Amino acid sequence: TPNAWEVSPALRKMLGRIVFFLCLPSVLAAQLCKPNAAEGFKVRLSIKTALGDKAYEWNRNQRFLFQAAIAFAMSHHLDLEFNVSNILVCDETPRVSFWFVVTSPDDPSRLVGKESVELAVRASRGRINNILLLNDATLEFVGVLPTLAAPVKPATPSWLIVFGVVIGIVGAGIVFLLVSTVVQKKRKENEVAEEEDDDEEAQMKRTAGNEGIYNTSFSESDRNTQM
Amino acid sequence: MGEAKNPGTEERPKWDNKVQYLLTCIGFAVGIGNLWRFPYLCQIYGGGAFLIPYLIALVFEGLPLLYLELAIGQRLRMGSIGVWNNISPMLGGVGIASMVVSFLVSMFYNTIIAWVLWYFFNSFQNPLPWSQCPLNANQTGYSSECEKSTSVNYFWYRETLNITEDIGISGSLQWWMVICLATAWCVIYICFIKGIDSMGKAVYVTATFPYLVLTIFLIRALTLPGATDGLVYLFTPDWEILKKPQVWLDAATQIFFSLSVAFGGLIAFSSYNAERNDCERDALVVGITNSATSLYGSIPIFSILGFKARTNFNTCLEQNILTLTNHFDIAERNMTVENYDQWFDYLNVTHPGDIASLPLRVCDLQNFLDQSASGTGLAFIVFTEAVLEMPGSQVWAVLFFVMLLSLGLSSMFGNIEGVLTPLQELKLVPKWLPHEVLTAIVCLVSFLIGLIFTLGSGNYWVEVFNAYVGSVPLLIIAFCEIVGVAYIYGMKTFSEDIYFMTGRRPNIYWKACWMVISPLMLLVVFVAYVALQAGTYPTYPAWNPNYEDFPQTETKEYPKWVFGIIVALVVVPILSIPVVAVYNLIRCGIKKSSANVSGPNPYSNEAFEIETQERNTQSI
C-alpha cells in the first residue's frame, strides 16, 4: 500500500498552495498593518474618561464595532463597498490604542491611501463618535484634525436681551420720576397761590409751630403808620 | 412770606434717618477697591503681617481724616466749596480742587461700572462666553490669540475691550461699550434724580447687598477644594516683610484711598445731618466698617483663588498624565493625580531618555498660588476663570457682578455728590434750573467725555486716570484740609464746634493726630509717592498679540503727549489751591491771620447765629 504522504506531486502542490493562501491574509495583515505604517493611523480611546462608571470593556466585539464603523465611513465617502475584513487592526495596547489600515475591497493586498482614509473619517467623524459613545477628545485619530462645530449663535445675542430689559426698566423709572416731579411742582404752585392770601398772623403761628422764630424784619405789615 | 416768593431757595435736604446717612457713608467708603486691592496687598506683603501697618495707618491717618471731614461738613452745613470758603477765603481752592477731582474720578470709575454691567449682561448664557475660544476664520482650529493666552483673557481683552496694542492707537468707539456706559450713567441718574431723597433709598440696597453676597460666597467658597490652601497662603504672616518701607507706604496709601476722603463727598453727606449729631461715633463706625469689610471680603476671595490654584494644579498634572499615558500606552486611570509622583519617579528611572523628550509641564501649587492679581485683572480674569469651575457658574457669575455693581454704584454716589453740591454753591448755576436738569447735564457731560474710555485704547486711559488723578491730587487736598482746619481754622474753634455738636471735646488722641501725626504721615506718604514715581519714566503694560513673549503684556513707555496729559491731570485739579489763595491775597490785602477767625468773616453773617445761640442758652 502507498504511504499517505506519497501522494501525487500535483496534490502536494495544491495542498501547499491552499495552506499558503490560508495563511496569506494573516501574513499580509501582519505586513500591511504595523505600527507607524505609512498608510495607517494610530487611534487612542479614552473610554473611562468619557463614560466613567458606564465604561465598557475593550474586547474583540468592541473592536469589531470599530472596524464596522470605519468600514461604514469608507463606504460612505468613496461609494465603494468596504467590508469589516478590509479594516485591519494591530498593535493593541492596554491604553486602548492601536493602529489600523484600510485595504482596498478590490485587492486585499493593496492599501487605501492615507488622505482618502482621513477625509472619510473626518466626514463621518460625528457618526463614528456616536457609535462608540465617545467624542472628538476621547476618540483620538492621531494626526486627524477634528472638524470643530461652530458654537451655536442665537439670532439676537442674549446679552442684548438683558441689556434691553435693564435699560427699559431704568428708562421707564426716569420718565415716571420726572413726570411725577413736574406734576407735584404744579400742584404745589397752585397751593402756594392760595397761601399767599393768608394772614400774617397765620404765618407767624405756623412758623412758631415748627419751632422756628418768625423774623419780622422782612414782614410786609408796616409797623409805622403810612404817611 | 419767604416761601411764596422764592421757589428757588428750598431748605437744605436732610436724611430720612441716621441709618441712611451711615449706609451712604459706608457705601461711599466701601468700594470695589476693598475687594480687589486689599487682598492683593495682603498677599504680596506677607499675609497677616500686613494687617499691622494697615491698622496703624487706620488709627493714625484714616480715622482722624474721616472725623475731620464729617465734623466740618456737619458744623458748617455746606458742601466742600462752601466749607473751605467759610474757614478761610484763601482755602477756597481746596473745595474747587475736590470738585474737579471728584468729576474726573467719576468719569473713569463709571467706565469700570460699565465693564461690570457688560459682564453681568453676558452672564445669562449657557455656556458662559468666556469659557470657550471662538473658531478662527477657516474653522480648522481656535483663534490663535485665544489659544496662546486663555479664553478668559481673550474675552476680556478682545471681546470686551477690543484693545489696541498701544495707547497712541485709539481705535474706534466700541458700540457695545458705549451702550453699557450709557446704561451705567442712566442708572446713576435715576438714583440721583431727586437728590439725596432718591439716592438715600437706593443706598439701602447698594450698601447692604454686597455683604449678603460676600456671605453667600464665603459659605460656598469654604466648601470648595483648595480653599484652605488659599487661606493659609493669604494669612500666613511673614514678619520679615515689615522691614521694607514699601509696605508701610502702601498701607498708608491704601487706607487713604479706601476711605474716600478729600473727594468732598463726605463733607456734603454730613452737611445734611442734624446739627447735633455724634459725628465722632459716625467716623469710628464708618472707618472700622470699611476696614472690617476689606478683611471680611478677602476671605472668600482668597478661598476662591486657592480653589482656582488647586484646579489649575490638577489640570496641569492631568495634562502630564495624559502625555505620559499616551506615550507609554499605560491603561487609563492607572496613573492618577494621587499616585502621579510614584509613577513619575518609576518612569524616570526606567525610561529617563523618554521622559526628557516629552513636553511635560512643571506643576507647582505654590506657583499657581503666587499668580496674584489685583484690579480689573482680579475681577475680570482670575475670578471669572474660577467661576467657570464652580458648579452653577451662571448663578455665581451673576451674583459676583451684581455685588461689584452695588459696590461701584455706592461709591459713585459719593463722587457725584462731590460734584453736584459744590456746583450749586459756586453760584454758576442759574436759579431757575431745576435740580433734576442740572443732574442730567452733569451726567450727560460726563458720559460724553467718558466716551474716551470706550475707544480701543480706553483701558490704557482708565489706568492713566486711576494712577494719576486718584492719587497725588487727593494727597495734597487732604494735607491742605488737615492743616487748614488744625492751624488756620484753629484747634480751639474746632474743639468748640465739636463740643457743640457732640457734647464733649475731642480728647488728646484726636488733637495729637490732627495737629501733628496725620499731617506728618500725609507728608511722608506724599513725598515717598512722588519720589517713587519720579524715579522712573512711567510705563504701562500693553496687550500686543504680535509681541514675541505673548501672552505676557508688553511694557511700553508712555509717549510724550500722554506724559503731558498725565502732568496736566495731576496739576490742574490742585492748581486752584494756590490760584484762589493768591487771588484772595491780592483782592483783600489781608495777611493770613490764624488768630482772628472768630472776627469778621465776610462770608458769613453771624448776626442771626448769635441770636440763635443766645436763644438756645436761654431755653436751656
Side-chain angles (χ1 to χ4, degrees), chain B residues 460-578:
Chain B
Y460 301 132
W461 286 109
V462 170
E463 281 305 314
V464 164
F465 270 65
N466 189 20
Y468 297 106
V469 169
S471 59
V472 171
L474 286 174
L475 286 168
I476 296 179
I477 293 172
F479 183 75
C480 292
E481 282 188 3
I482 206 166
V483 161
V485 168
Y487 295 104
I488 300 181
Y489 190 57
M491 195 43 71
K492 223 175 182 181
T493 332
F494 193 50
S495 302
E496 285 305 314
D497 287 338
I498 292 184
Y499 178 66
F500 172 67
M501 291 189 292
T502 67
R504 54 184 187 279
R505 293 203 169 72
N507 56 30
I508 187 72
Y509 153 68
W510 293 114
K511 287 205 184 130
C513 283
W514 285 326
M515 300 197 71
V516 177
I517 304 181
S518 299
L520 204 60
M521 273 184 89
L522 277 175
L523 197 62
V524 167
V525 166
F526 172 68
V527 167
Y529 209 86
V530 172
L532 275 172
Q533 298 281 345
T536 55
Y537 192 82
T539 59
Y540 66 102
W543 181 261
N544 185 4
N546 299 322
Y547 183 48
E548 48 193 14
D549 278 340
F550 188 77
Q552 310 265 16
T553 49
E554 186 182 354
T555 312
K556 291 192 182 175
E557 286 189 348
Y558 284 119
K560 290 276 185 280
W561 60 279
V562 174
F563 188 69
I565 294 183
I566 290 175
V567 170
L569 282 175
V570 170
V571 165
V572 163
I574 58 172
L575 206 60
S576 55
I577 301 180

Side-chain angles (χ1 to χ4, degrees), chain B residues 37-341:
Chain B
R37 183 84 186 138
F38 175 79
Y40 168 74
L41 287 176
C42 241
Q43 180 191 359
I44 63 171
Y45 286 136
F50 180 70
L51 290 175
I52 294 186
Y54 183 72
L55 289 173
I56 292 180
L58 175 70
V59 164
F60 289 112
E61 185 196 350
L63 289 177
L65 272 171
L66 195 57
Y67 187 13
L68 188 106
E69 285 213 352
L70 293 182
I72 49 171
Q74 187 177 299
R75 180 70 187 100
L76 298 172
R77 312 189 66 69
M78 284 185 270
S80 56
I81 289 188
V83 150
W84 297 112
N85 266 329
N86 198 324
I87 288 183
S88 158
M90 311 264 255
L91 284 181
V94 175
I96 299 179
S98 281
M99 184 180 82
V100 173
V101 168
S102 285
F103 179 67
L104 291 172
V105 167
S106 68
M107 276 197 298
F108 82 80
Y109 203 84
N110 221 21
T111 310
I112 300 177
I113 294 185
W115 292 336
V116 173
L117 269 176
W118 163 258
Y119 268 84
F120 169 69
F121 293 153
N122 273 293
S123 300
F124 288 95
Q125 304 174 22
N126 187 25
L128 289 169
W130 54 84
S131 62
Q132 303 165 328
C133 277
L135 301 177
N136 62 12
N138 49 9
Q139 295 210 346
T140 55
Y142 297 111
S143 142
S144 68
E145 185 183 348
C146 190
E147 285 244 281
K148 286 196 213 162
S149 58
T150 62
S151 58
V152 179
N153 272 333
Y154 180 80
F155 186 76
W156 167 238
Y157 284 111
R158 191 53 52 210
E159 297 201 23
T160 306
L161 301 173
N162 200 10
I163 204 166
T164 56
E165 309 89 55
D166 191 281
I167 196 173
I169 307 172
S170 296
S172 56
L173 286 176
Q174 315 301 326
W175 64 270
W176 57 92
M177 266 302 122
V178 172
I179 61 179
C180 286
L181 189 65
T183 315
W185 278 112
C186 284
V187 172
I188 298 278
Y189 180 58
I190 196 178
C191 291
F192 255 93
I193 206 165
K194 294 212 176 182
I196 65 164
D197 289 329
S198 50
M199 191 252 287
K201 309 255 181 329
V203 98
Y204 282 126
V205 172
T206 61
T208 52
F209 191 71
Y211 291 98
L212 179 66
V213 176
L214 275 178
T215 312
I216 296 176
F217 264 107
L218 182 72
I219 300 173
R220 170 73 255 212
L222 287 177
T223 59
L224 290 170
T228 35
D229 297 323
L231 285 177
V232 163
Y233 185 72
L234 170 68
F235 285 119
T236 311
D238 174 17
W239 306 106
E240 290 298 311
I241 215 144
L242 292 180
K243 296 189 187 144
K244 288 183 7 183
Q246 180 75 15
V247 181
W248 297 87
L249 175 65
D250 270 335
T253 40
Q254 170 63 14
I255 266 292
F256 177 72
F257 297 130
S258 178
L259 283 172
S260 310
V261 293
F263 279 95
L266 287 170
I267 298 181
F269 287 149
S270 63
S271 72
Y272 302 127
N273 266 339
E275 271 215 321
R276 291 171 191 274
N277 173 48
D278 193 346
C279 45
E280 178 177 2
R281 225 185 37 189
D282 297 342
L284 288 173
V285 165
V286 173
I288 293 176
T289 309
N290 179 51
S291 296
T293 309
S294 293
L295 223 69
Y296 184 59
S298 60
I299 300 178
I301 297 273
F302 262 84
S303 306
I304 291 176
L305 289 183
F307 161 72
K308 178 178 171 295
R310 169 69 60 182
T311 311
N312 283 354
F313 175 68
N314 283 349
T315 310
C316 178
L317 276 185
E318 271 165 28
Q319 275 179 0
N320 283 357
I321 290 174
L322 192 65
T323 315
L324 288 172
T325 316
N326 284 347
H327 184 86
F328 290 107
D329 285 320
I330 309 167
E332 259 191 298
R333 299 287 171 91
N334 269 12
M335 197 191 298
T336 62
V337 173
E338 286 84 22
N339 59 23
Y340 173 78
D341 290 320

Side-chain angles (χ1 to χ4, degrees), chain A:
Chain A
T1 44
N3 201 334
W5 289 110
E6 281 178 22
V7 293
S8 63
L11 191 55
R12 216 183 301 161
K13 249 195 212 155
M14 202 173 68
L15 274 172
R17 233 173 265 155
I18 291 171
V19 168
F20 176 66
F21 277 115
L22 278 174
C23 295
L24 184 59
S26 46
V27 171
L28 262 180
Q31 283 176 345
L32 287 172
C33 175
K34 49 186 194 284
N36 299 313
E39 313 285 353
F41 283 95
K42 178 161 184 176
V43 180
R44 266 190 219 122
L45 281 80
S46 308
I47 308 171
K48 290 199 187 124
T49 312
L51 300 169
D53 294 329
K54 304 197 186 101
Y56 50 78
E57 187 75 36
W58 183 255
N59 54 22
R60 200 185 49 169
N61 300 324
Q62 307 289 353
R63 186 178 2 114
F64 179 82
L65 192 56
F66 173 79
Q67 289 171 301
I70 300 294
F72 159 77
M74 297 298 303
S75 308
H76 184 78
H77 178 71
L78 291 178
D79 218 14
L80 293 171
E81 241 189 81
F82 279 83
N83 214 329
V84 173
S85 51
N86 292 121
I87 316 294
L88 306 169
V89 170
C90 57
D91 195 34
E92 280 185 50
T93 65
R95 167 74 179 83
V96 193
S97 71
F98 48 82
W99 283 84
F100 79 94
V101 291
V102 182
T103 58
S104 166
D106 308 320
D107 182 7
S109 58
R110 208 168 46 92
L111 291 177
V112 176
K114 196 164 179 174
E115 297 80 24
S116 302
V117 178
E118 179 170 346
L119 287 171
V121 164
R122 284 189 76 184
S124 308
R125 187 65 182 270
R127 201 66 190 278
I128 302 172
N129 286 349
N130 283 338
I131 290 172
L132 294 166
L133 299 177
L134 300 170
N135 59 30
D136 277 356
T138 45
L139 173 59
E140 196 186 340
F141 288 84
V142 178
V144 175
L145 299 167
T147 329
L148 301 162
V152 175
K153 283 210 164 173
T156 334
S158 63
W159 75 266
L160 269 179
I161 299 176
V162 184
F163 159 73
V165 168
V166 169
I167 199 88
I169 297 176
V170 170
I174 291 179
V175 165
F176 169 72
L177 284 173
L178 283 177
V179 164
S180 72
T181 314
V182 167
V183 164
Q184 259 180 16
K185 268 208 184 123
K186 282 222 177 92
R187 219 178 281 162
K188 228 192 237 175
E189 276 174 22
N190 289 339
E191 278 178 17
V192 160
E194 293 169 10
E195 275 181 16
E196 274 187 343
D197 308 326
D198 269 0
D199 207 1
E200 174 143 333
E201 286 288 328
Q203 278 191 341
M204 278 184 76
K205 280 213 189 89
R206 227 181 305 127
T207 1
N210 291 340
E211 295 181 44
I213 297 160
Y214 191 66
N215 183 353
T216 52
S217 58
F218 292 108
S219 103
E220 278 191 309
S221 63
D222 225 334
R223 289 254 184 87
N224 306 323
T225 39
Q226 297 286 346
M227 291 297 221

